[in-house]
Amino acid sequence: MWRTRAAAACVICRSLANSSYGIKRKSPLQNLHLVSRSIHHPYYPSSKFQRPPLRISVQLFSSLNRLPLRKTKLLNVKYGYQFHRNFWLARLASRLLKLRYLILGSAVGGGYTVKKTYDQWKDMMPDLDEYKWIVPDFIWELDEHIDFEKLIKALPDADDLAKLLPDFDKIGESFTSLKGFFSPGSPGETAFRATDQGYDNDKQYKKGLLGELILLQQQIQQHEEEARRAAGQYNMGSSQQKRKVSDKEKIDQLQEELLRTQLKYQRMLERLEKENKELRKLVLQRDDKGIHQRKLKKSLIDMYSEVLDILSDYDASYNTQDHLPRVVVVGDQSAGKTSVLEMIAQARIFPRGSGEMMTRSPVKVTLSEGPHHVALFKDSSREFDLTKEEDLAALRNEIEIRMRNSVKEGCTVSTETISLSVKGPGLQRMVLVDLPGVISTVTSGMAPDTKETIFSISKAYMQNPNAIILCIQDGSVDAERSIVTDLVSQMDPQGKRTIFVLTKVDLAEKNVASPNRIQQIIEGKLFPMKALGYFAVVTGKGNSSESIESIKEYEEEFFQNSKLLKTCMLKAHQVTTKNLSLAVSDCFWKMVRESVEQQADAFKATRFNLETEWKNNYPRLRELDRNELFEKAKNEILDEVISLTQVTPKHWEEILQKTLWERVSTHVIENIYLPAAQTMNSGTFNTTVDIKLKQWTDKQLPNKAVEVAWETLQEEFSRFMTEQKGKEHDDIFDKLKQAVKEESIKRHKWNERAEDSLRVIQHNALEDRSISDKQQWDAAIHFMEETLQSRLKDTESVIEDMVGPDWKKRWLYWIGRTKEQNIRNETKNELEKLIKCNEEHAAYLANDEVTTVRKNLEARGITVDPCLIKDTWHQIYRRYFLKTALNHCNLCRRGFYYYQRHFVDSELECNDIVLFWRIQRMLAITANTLRQQLTNTEVRRLEKNVKEVLEDFAEDNEKKVKLLTGKRVQLAEDLKKVREIQEKLEAFIEALHQEK
């Protein structure tokens, strides 16, 4: 009979095992509990029982810490054959309890409970769509692989579950008889212990950070409900039951428990984010190495920052205002603006001072995500490693230098924006602008208009309708001393784009007599301004050497022990700079998505207007901006410099020889030729000439020659630069070419060794007196005649100015003489009589001769000063001498034969012809030498200087703006900027849509 009942039970077991929902086993019989198998199959040989392998569909893997969980350790159970006659009570209990039914019912009910708990938890949790990047991607994909709706439908109905469950009334009657069976040490107790441990081990797989977060969230909700219920009971004053502790103490106890649970929840989130940050850092590093070519989110903020940089340089001549969002950080001086920004950037990047103004110009900080914590300026390629203290010090020093350089003389603050990018793991993507602190009084050392300038800068940034205003208020000072709140309320009366931040809350809690005042500030009831959100932060203990990590720990410790949170004056989401950073980033990107397309349309319309204006005014010209025009002018200037090398040697030598003689002819005639010509014989003439030529060559002649060569090079260079080239000439380049020419000439210096080599060449040329042929002799005579005739013409012009016009001009042009000219004319007539009387008269008048002339003139009633007589004599004698020398030149035309015989047996002496030949030959040799220096050395050096000047001008934008001006240039420049802004905005919008 027992065997028959056992066989029947076996059939029921198999049917139940085969009909189990969602459970797949290799052998249904093996899935039965050991006790059941010992009862139902006493005939089953104990040697055939093998311990079944543990099959679990859940992988031993945690998505949060990447470490395998502890494996389940099952208790060793002795399998074997049990005699049915010794366990009739167990068999009876097994049939009544039907443990497998309980397990099946527990699984079904547990699944339903888990689903219900999951729905409650899902409704209770905030919307984390914006923070999906914090949790690994596969967590969010679980619902794609597990169909919960299908699982719910697969579960049996309540009626079916009721049929499957046993009669619990009958089970209760059997508990007494089972008491002995489950006594300590019995086989049944051992079997159940194994079952319970296996169930507990299965639950360990469900543990982890995510499970703990769910439990903590449920605890928080439960504690909040209990706190509200207890607070309501306390306020109503109902005391239905006597308790050992008062209701107020219970409320405090519940609030403390709630605070501890929230802090524990916050720490769990931070731990999760820290692990996620490390994982993302590894991913970013792999992307940097090119393993993955995926576009990261950091590129989006970089694209947006580029647009803002271009807009900051754009001159809005066409009223296209910059309304793109950015976070504007404003506050009173020393309110903690810079400290808040540093906490958001997670690095001490700004210069710090004690009570003095440190932020002297706007600083635009672009925060983005990256594998390494680095910072770099827009116009520099150097990266500052923010994890190294020496790089942080160098960065702070560089920012301070840039601020001071941007401030003009006589000013305290500057409107010029310093652009800085900060990248690092876990940084929130946004663009912030740190502005100088608002002041109430101008102190000594500041410019008188400092206060008004700071107000104008702040208003210029805040009046942007899409700018997010981060209003920083010092919590350690009286609220009535705040200046910035009134300014912010003027710019944003409705508070639709303002976030209020109360800093130094730790000091405020100590100093403020009534903590309710802090609560009024955070609730927006104390200040007249309105805001989207209110936050309370602690940015350190006032020590500039504190690290960001120590400040975070201090901030967390303060709020953990603060009465503000314990008494619910502040809410958990309103404290810490971390929550502030998340809120600001959310608001920033929301504003960007709402306004960026409208800005793109505005610049598109501006581009159309500019293109239309260009087509109407300059239909046949290309749209060349300032940089393109500079490149075109640069090519033209370099072509003109190259043209200097194409000047023929003959042209160079002719110009050099002519210019050099014009420069030295006066010295040769007055200081060499005329003094030597006054001598009595040829030997003295030649000696005087040699001495004076030697002195001239050693001191003046080489320097004069180099000056002439340099001036000639400048004149030729200027001629090529300024000459117009027909229709191709563009007068827009004239100012630039003139500036390049002047700067190149200023930088050019002639080779210092040129004078030394030139001195030797000139000295050797002047020492040569041998005229080789008649052609050179005639050339020297021609050269002398031209020189003397030029001097004679100049002398006659001087005499005419002294004595006035002659009788022909007086009759023809009705011009008379002045009184002084009449005196000069009478003096001239007397002096000419002296020369006629003595044709070999010396160059100077003797004193008795001067007295004689004066008395003769006084006899005719003309009073004359002796100085006037000598001055007039100099010109009269000079004219007489030049005429005599010209006559002598005609006589020496046939003197080459006598020259070859050294004027032996001849009264003719032509030493002056030899002198002019020597001068002429020296001029030709000097011109040839200078031409070689020009073509071989100086032209190339000048070309090099021009290239250097052009390179310097190319890097100096202010110089290009000054030299390339006009409506055409400005229109092309605006058109280029608008096109660039529009293109970058469209690329950013496309990337933004792809990210969604």
Side-chain angles (χ1 to χ4, degrees):
M1 181 179 178
W2 288 106
R3 293 182 180 272
T4 306
R5 292 179 180 177
C10 185
V11 173
I12 296 174
C13 293
R14 291 192 185 95
S15 62
L16 282 175
N18 292 332
S19 61
S20 299
Y21 291 96
I23 302 175
K24 294 182 180 180
R25 308 290 177 110
K26 184 176 180 180
S27 176
L29 184 61
Q30 294 178 355
N31 291 326
L32 296 177
H33 199 273
L34 297 177
V35 178
S36 298
R37 279 190 287 174
S38 64
I39 296 173
H40 291 301
H41 306 283
Y43 53 85
Y44 199 96
S46 61
S47 59
K48 293 183 181 180
F49 276 96
Q50 302 293 332
R51 184 178 182 179
L54 183 62
R55 295 181 179 272
I56 300 173
S57 60
V58 182
Q59 296 181 357
L60 305 182
F61 182 82
S62 173
S63 63
L64 302 176
N65 52 17
R66 302 292 185 185
L67 295 176
L69 298 176
R70 291 179 295 178
K71 295 183 178 180
T72 304
K73 295 183 180 180
L74 298 176
L75 293 177
N76 295 326
V77 180
K78 295 181 180 181
Y79 305 97
Y81 180 79
Q82 301 292 336
F83 293 99
H84 64 277
R85 64 177 178 272
N86 296 329
F87 299 101
W88 63 271
L89 291 177
R91 290 197 298 271
L92 178 61
S94 62
R95 292 175 182 176
L96 295 175
L97 292 175
K98 301 297 182 181
L99 296 177
R100 53 185 175 275
Y101 299 152
L102 290 177
I103 294 173
L104 178 59
S106 299
V108 175
Y112 179 76
T113 305
V114 169
K115 178 63 173 63
K116 185 177 181 180
T117 304
Y118 170 76
D119 293 336
Q120 293 177 355
W121 172 75
K122 187 175 180 182
D123 296 336
M124 180 178 56
M125 290 295 289
D127 188 8
L128 299 176
D129 292 339
E130 299 295 333
Y131 312 106
K132 283 187 177 182
W133 57 270
I134 298 178
V135 182
D137 296 337
F138 69 90
I139 295 296
W140 306 108
E141 297 174 357
L142 287 177
D143 55 348
E144 298 178 4
H145 301 287
I146 300 175
D147 192 351
F148 291 102
E149 299 294 332
K150 187 176 181 181
L151 182 59
I152 293 172
K153 294 179 180 179
L155 293 174
D157 297 334
D159 298 335
D160 297 335
L161 288 174
K163 294 178 182 179
L164 293 174
L165 293 175
D167 190 354
F168 290 98
D169 295 332
K170 296 180 180 180
I171 294 173
E173 297 175 356
S174 303
F175 278 160
T176 305
S177 59
L178 291 173
K179 185 176 180 181
F181 175 77
F182 293 104
S183 61
S186 62
E189 189 266 342
T190 304
F192 276 105
R193 184 182 301 167
T195 305
D196 293 340
Q197 181 142 359
Y199 178 73
D200 293 338
N201 288 331
D202 289 339
K203 291 173 65 177
Q204 290 181 0
Y205 293 107
K206 300 180 182 179
K207 292 183 179 179
L209 286 178
L210 191 59
E212 294 179 8
L213 289 176
I214 296 172
L215 295 176
L216 286 172
Q217 187 67 27
Q218 293 176 354
Q219 293 176 9
I220 290 172
Q221 185 179 9
Q222 182 180 359
H223 291 323
E224 287 179 349
E225 292 178 357
E226 292 179 359
R228 287 195 298 268
R229 186 164 52 252
Q233 293 175 359
Y234 177 75
N235 294 331
M236 292 173 60
S238 61
S239 55
Q240 298 177 358
Q241 297 179 359
K242 294 183 180 180
R243 302 176 183 179
K244 295 181 180 180
V245 293
S246 64
D247 291 340
K248 183 176 181 181
E249 292 177 353
K250 185 175 182 180
I251 291 172
D252 295 338
Q253 183 180 359
L254 289 174
Q255 289 177 348
E256 290 179 1
E257 188 176 357
L258 174 62
L259 180 60
R260 286 195 299 270
T261 307
Q262 288 177 340
L263 293 175
K264 185 177 179 181
Y265 178 70
Q266 186 71 20
R267 285 194 295 271
M268 298 292 291
L269 281 177
E270 291 177 357
R271 179 182 170 190
L272 182 63
E273 290 177 358
K274 185 176 180 181
E275 293 178 357
N276 182 63
K277 185 190 299 184
E278 295 296 329
L279 293 175
R280 291 187 65 82
K281 182 176 180 180
L282 294 175
V283 172
L284 294 173
Q285 288 175 344
R286 294 174 65 189
D287 286 333
D288 283 351
K289 295 178 182 178
I291 298 177
H292 297 285
Q293 300 299 327
R294 186 182 62 178
K295 290 186 178 179
L296 300 176
K297 294 182 180 179
K298 66 173 185 177
S299 62
L300 193 63
I301 191 66
D302 290 338
M303 293 167 62
Y304 187 76
S305 180
E306 288 179 3
V307 175
L308 295 181
D309 289 336
I310 299 173
L311 281 173
S312 64
D313 299 333
Y314 173 62
D315 184 11
S317 302
Y318 291 85
N319 297 323
T320 305
Q321 297 181 1
D322 175 15
H323 287 168
L324 287 177
R326 68 263 284 163
V327 181
V328 180
V329 186
V330 296
D332 298 334
Q333 184 178 348
S334 302
K337 305 188 312 322
T338 302
S339 299
V340 172
L341 208 156
E342 286 181 336
M343 291 293 292
I344 295 175
Q346 300 182 14
R348 308 300 292 269
I349 58 178
F350 291 103
R352 312 186 70 82
S354 178
E356 60 177 325
M357 178 181 293
M358 298 304 298
T359 306
R360 297 180 177 271
S361 65
V363 181
K364 181 177 76 70
V365 182
T366 303
L367 300 180
S368 59
E369 193 175 14
H372 307 289
H373 204 185
V374 296
L376 66 159
F377 291 96
K378 178 187 72 172
D379 54 354
S380 175
S381 59
R382 178 185 176 184
E383 283 191 352
F384 296 88
D385 190 349
L386 302 184
T387 60
K388 298 180 180 178
E389 187 58 37
E390 56 270 19
D391 279 21
L392 279 171
L395 176 61
R396 290 192 290 265
N397 185 51
E398 180 67 20
I399 292 176
E400 186 173 3
I401 292 174
R402 287 174 179 256
M403 284 184 181
R404 296 190 180 277
N405 292 339
S406 65
V407 177
K408 298 180 181 179
E409 186 177 357
C411 299
T412 306
V413 293
S414 171
T415 59
E416 183 178 345
T417 304
I418 298 174
S419 184
L420 178 69
S421 295
V422 178
K423 301 180 181 181
L427 292 183
Q428 298 297 321
R429 302 174 301 159
M430 66 183 93
V431 178
L432 303 102
V433 182
D434 187 20
L435 300 180
V438 179
I439 60 175
S440 59
T441 305
V442 177
T443 59
S444 61
M446 292 185 179
D449 61 342
T450 302
K451 179 180 177 181
E452 290 74 15
T453 304
I454 294 176
F455 267 86
S456 63
I457 294 174
S458 301
K459 288 182 178 179
Y461 277 92
M462 288 191 293
Q463 69 184 3
N464 178 359
N466 297 321
I468 300 167
I469 303 173
L470 195 62
C471 180
I472 310 297
Q473 174 63 34
D474 189 352
S476 63
V477 300
D478 296 335
E480 290 76 12
R481 296 169 57 185
S482 176
I483 306 172
V484 70
T485 51
D486 293 336
L487 181 62
V488 172
S489 62
Q490 294 175 10
M491 295 293 103
D492 185 22
Q494 302 300 324
K496 295 182 178 180
R497 52 189 179 90
T498 300
I499 297 177
F500 181 87
V501 182
L502 185 67
T503 62
K504 306 178 184 179
V505 183
D506 52 343
L507 299 178
E509 187 179 26
K510 295 178 182 178
N511 300 333
V512 176
S514 175
N516 293 330
R517 196 171 179 83
I518 299 178
Q519 184 180 5
Q520 290 177 356
I521 294 175
I522 296 301
E523 291 178 355
K525 298 178 181 179
L526 187 61
F527 291 108
M529 59 169 288
K530 299 179 181 179
L532 284 174
Y534 296 84
F535 290 87
V537 299
V538 175
T539 56
K541 302 178 181 179
N543 187 3
S544 60
S545 61
E546 288 181 294
S547 64
I548 296 296
E549 295 298 328
S550 64
I551 296 175
K552 284 183 177 180
E553 293 177 359
Y554 173 70
E555 184 182 38
E556 180 181 351
E557 182 181 358
F558 167 76
F559 283 116
Q560 183 177 359
N561 302 321
S562 175
K563 295 181 180 179
L564 299 174
L565 276 181
K566 292 181 179 180
T567 58
C568 292
M569 291 185 181
L570 297 179
K571 297 181 182 179
H573 67 273
Q574 290 182 313
V575 298
T576 71
T577 52
K578 184 175 183 179
N579 291 334
L580 170 65
S581 177
L582 292 172
V584 173
S585 179
D586 291 343
C587 189
F588 169 76
W589 284 107
K590 180 181 179 182
M591 193 72 75
V592 168
R593 291 185 176 93
E594 291 176 354
S595 61
V596 67
E597 293 186 359
Q598 183 179 0
Q599 281 291 103
D601 294 338
F603 279 101
K604 185 176 181 180
T606 303
R607 174 179 176 177
F608 176 78
N609 296 336
L610 292 174
E611 290 176 345
T612 303
E613 185 176 357
W614 181 273
K615 291 177 182 178
N616 294 333
N617 294 327
Y618 312 102
R620 298 182 180 179
L621 294 178
R622 290 177 55 201
E623 300 168 358
L624 299 179
D625 59 17
R626 186 172 280 109
N627 291 330
E628 293 171 338
L629 288 172
F630 182 83
E631 290 298 323
K632 183 178 179 181
K634 177 181 177 181
N635 294 332
E636 290 186 8
I637 293 172
L638 292 177
D639 291 341
E640 290 161 359
V641 174
I642 294 175
S643 299
L644 286 173
T645 60
Q646 300 176 357
V647 178
T648 61
K650 181 179 179 182
H651 180 74
W652 279 120
E653 292 181 9
E654 288 178 355
I655 296 176
L656 289 169
Q657 187 172 348
K658 178 182 178 182
T659 308
L660 180 60
W661 175 239
E662 291 176 354
R663 188 66 58 85
V664 302
S665 59
T666 301
H667 180 82
V668 171
I669 298 298
E670 301 295 337
N671 299 328
I672 299 176
Y673 175 61
L674 289 179
Q678 304 300 322
T679 58
M680 301 302 296
N681 52 51
S682 60
T684 307
F685 178 88
N686 292 331
T687 302
T688 304
V689 167
D690 290 343
I691 293 173
K692 291 187 176 294
L693 286 178
K694 181 67 169 58
Q695 294 175 350
W696 183 44
T697 306
D698 291 340
K699 297 180 179 179
Q700 300 179 6
L701 183 57
N703 187 24
K704 290 288 183 183
V706 170
E707 288 180 1
V708 168
W710 177 219
E711 291 176 1
T712 303
L713 179 60
Q714 294 181 37
E715 292 175 359
E716 289 297 306
F717 180 50
S718 300
R719 181 173 63 86
F720 282 111
M721 291 282 287
T722 56
E723 68 179 359
Q724 297 185 2
K725 299 180 180 179
K727 296 181 180 180
E728 298 180 358
H729 177 72
D730 196 344
D731 56 358
I732 204 171
F733 300 143
D734 292 346
K735 292 175 67 176
L736 176 62
K737 290 182 178 179
Q738 182 67 21
V740 171
K741 183 193 74 173
E742 293 176 355
E743 185 65 23
S744 302
I745 291 173
K746 182 180 179 180
R747 295 185 184 185
H748 186 83
K749 293 182 179 180
W750 203 274
N751 190 1
E752 296 179 355
R753 299 180 181 179
E755 290 188 11
D756 298 334
S757 60
L758 191 61
R759 182 179 292 106
V760 175
I761 295 172
Q762 290 173 340
H763 184 71
N764 294 333
L766 290 173
E767 284 185 348
D768 189 7
R769 301 177 184 175
S770 58
I771 303 175
S772 59
D773 53 17
K774 183 69 167 55
Q775 185 178 0
Q776 294 182 5
W777 181 268
D778 294 339
I781 292 174
H782 180 69
F783 176 61
M784 181 178 176
E785 286 179 345
E786 286 185 347
T787 303
L788 295 179
Q789 286 176 358
S790 176
R791 295 294 167 176
L792 178 60
K793 185 178 179 180
D794 294 339
T795 302
E796 288 180 347
S797 177
V798 173
I799 293 174
E800 184 178 356
D801 293 338
M802 291 173 61
V803 301
D806 56 4
W807 64 272
K808 291 182 179 179
K809 290 184 179 180
R810 290 200 303 272
W811 282 98
L812 292 175
Y813 300 105
W814 294 83
I815 300 175
R817 290 173 177 172
T818 63
K819 182 178 180 181
E820 185 180 355
Q821 289 176 344
N822 288 324
I823 295 173
R824 291 270 188 180
N825 186 48
E826 294 296 333
T827 305
K828 179 189 71 110
N829 295 332
E830 287 293 328
L831 293 175
E832 287 178 345
K833 293 178 183 177
L834 281 176
I835 293 177
K836 288 180 180 179
C837 294
N838 184 8
E839 294 181 354
E840 296 181 358
H841 195 286
Y844 300 99
L845 284 174
N847 291 332
D848 56 346
E849 292 176 334
V850 173
T851 302
T852 302
V853 172
R854 182 172 60 82
K855 289 182 178 181
N856 293 336
L857 292 174
E858 288 177 354
R860 295 201 297 269
I862 300 173
T863 303
V864 183
D865 186 74
C867 293
L868 186 143
I869 296 173
K870 292 180 180 180
D871 187 28
T872 306
W873 166 257
H874 177 73
Q875 300 299 330
I876 298 300
Y877 181 81
R878 183 185 182 86
R879 183 179 64 177
Y880 169 74
F881 174 80
L882 293 174
K883 288 181 178 180
T884 304
L886 286 171
N887 293 330
H888 183 69
C889 286
N890 291 327
L891 295 176
C892 289
R893 289 185 182 277
R894 52 187 178 84
F896 181 70
Y897 172 75
Y898 299 103
Y899 165 77
Q900 289 180 327
R901 297 181 60 184
H902 304 288
F903 299 103
V904 177
D905 299 332
S906 175
E907 297 180 356
L908 183 64
E909 294 182 356
C910 297
N911 293 317
D912 49 357
I913 304 297
V914 176
L915 170 63
F916 276 91
W917 178 82
R918 293 166 69 183
I919 298 296
Q920 186 182 30
R921 185 169 181 272
M922 182 274 297
L923 292 175
I925 293 175
T926 301
N928 181 268
T929 304
L930 292 175
R931 188 266 306 168
Q932 293 180 7
Q933 291 181 0
L934 282 171
T935 55
N936 297 336
T937 306
E938 303 303 328
V939 171
R940 294 180 181 177
R941 292 179 62 195
L942 179 62
E943 182 180 356
K944 182 181 178 181
N945 289 337
V946 171
K947 290 181 179 179
E948 292 177 354
V949 171
L950 289 172
E951 290 176 358
D952 293 343
F953 283 7
E955 297 176 357
D956 191 349
N957 291 326
E958 293 182 359
K959 183 75 71 175
K960 288 190 289 187
V961 171
K962 182 179 179 180
L963 298 177
L964 293 173
T965 58
K967 181 181 178 181
R968 169 185 156 196
V969 181
Q970 190 61 44
L971 185 58
E973 194 72 15
D974 291 340
L975 188 54
K976 175 193 174 184
K977 288 286 186 183
V978 170
R979 283 175 176 168
E980 186 178 7
I981 292 170
Q982 183 196 354
E983 292 172 358
K984 288 188 177 294
L985 276 177
E986 290 177 352
F988 171 75
I989 293 171
E990 182 180 357
L992 188 64
H993 290 330
Q994 291 177 357
E995 189 185 53
K996 290 181 181 180

